[in-house]
Amino acid sequence: MKIMFMPDALATRVAELAQTIEADYREKDLLLIGILKGAVIFLADLIRHLSLPVEVDFMAVASYGAATKSSGVVRILKDLEVPLAGRHVLVVEDIVDTGLTLRYLLDLLWAREPASVRTCVLLDKRERRLVPVPVDYCGFVIPDVFVVGYGLDYAEKYRQLPYVAVLDGEEG
Ligand code: PRP
């Protein structure tokens, strides 16, 4: 594995993102939505830098498999517990790749009539995008390599690594 972002680089960037978010949502009632499972570590670190009175909820989604992935339809494995009407929502994701998952989620969330929806993404694999999605708060733009760690997995492994690394033999 080749390390892409060491723990201190991640911590610095997460703190910076939190500072920007805090400035933008001052006086607002913010609901953070973490998308399981990958976003768990990022979300946990991010919220510990926020002194705003935030609420946290989670959604779990899965794509319908390779054959139908390009349709962008995702399966909701766990839905939110709170209603969104009138809320300021910030969706927290570990990575955006094709954008299909986030596009589907944003459409679904907007239909619940929140006051606003923004996105906060740690890693943006921008060159892989198939559909446009707004990334309002971006940790790092990364190239098209397979990354693991800091919440990101390969076959459910490596999520616990404190750094982000390129998985061996998975470059390009
Ligand atoms: C990852 C990531 C996004 C999605 C991005 O989740 O957390 O939800 O893939 O890909 P896309 O932009 O091409 O749609 P994954 O399916 O790996 O699930 P996980 O978070 O449980 O690891």
Side-chain angles (χ1 to χ4, degrees):
M1 267 189 217
K2 198 166 84 200
I3 294 182
M4 185 181 265
F5 300 114
M6 294 290 274
D8 60 341
L10 291 168
T12 302
R13 190 68 191 119
V14 171
E16 286 170 359
L17 287 173
Q19 210 172 14
T20 310
I21 290 166
E22 194 157 296
D24 289 355
Y25 286 91
R26 210 167 290 288
E27 315 290 324
K28 286 192 182 130
D29 176 24
L30 178 60
L31 172 66
L32 291 134
I33 299 178
I35 310 303
L36 299 170
K37 306 171 193 168
V40 163
I41 311 281
F42 177 39
L43 177 76
D45 282 348
L46 187 72
I47 57 174
R48 278 179 286 178
H49 287 285
L50 295 173
S51 54
L52 302 166
V54 298
E55 267 183 58
V56 176
D57 203 348
F58 294 95
M59 283 184 89
V61 299
S63 81
Y64 273 106
T68 50
K69 198 166 189 245
S70 57
S71 70
V73 177
V74 302
R75 201 152 45 104
I76 307 295
L77 304 180
K78 183 214 173 294
D79 206 340
L80 298 171
E81 291 173 13
V82 297
L84 294 189
R87 303 296 305 270
H88 291 286
V89 171
L90 182 59
V91 179
V92 179
E93 264 285 30
D94 53 343
I95 189 164
V96 183
D97 186 343
T98 63
L100 290 166
T101 307
L102 196 54
R103 178 73 270 153
Y104 185 87
L105 281 174
L106 289 174
D107 292 344
L108 188 130
L109 297 177
W110 273 114
R112 299 179 186 184
E113 303 186 333
S116 70
V117 183
R118 286 185 185 168
T119 61
C120 178
V121 172
L122 181 69
L123 305 175
D124 185 350
K125 225 189 242 189
R126 208 166 275 179
E127 66 188 70
R128 290 257 310 161
R129 205 71 96 249
L130 292 179
V131 292
V133 283
V135 177
D136 298 294
Y137 304 97
C138 173
F140 304 95
V141 175
I142 62 164
D144 184 15
V145 290
F146 198 95
V147 283
V148 295
Y150 199 69
L152 291 120
D153 74 308
Y154 173 70
E156 296 301 325
K157 293 205 171 67
Y158 308 118
R159 292 193 198 275
Q160 83 275 24
L161 299 177
Y163 48 81
V164 171
V166 179
L167 198 60
D168 220 13
E170 294 284 349
E171 294 206 37

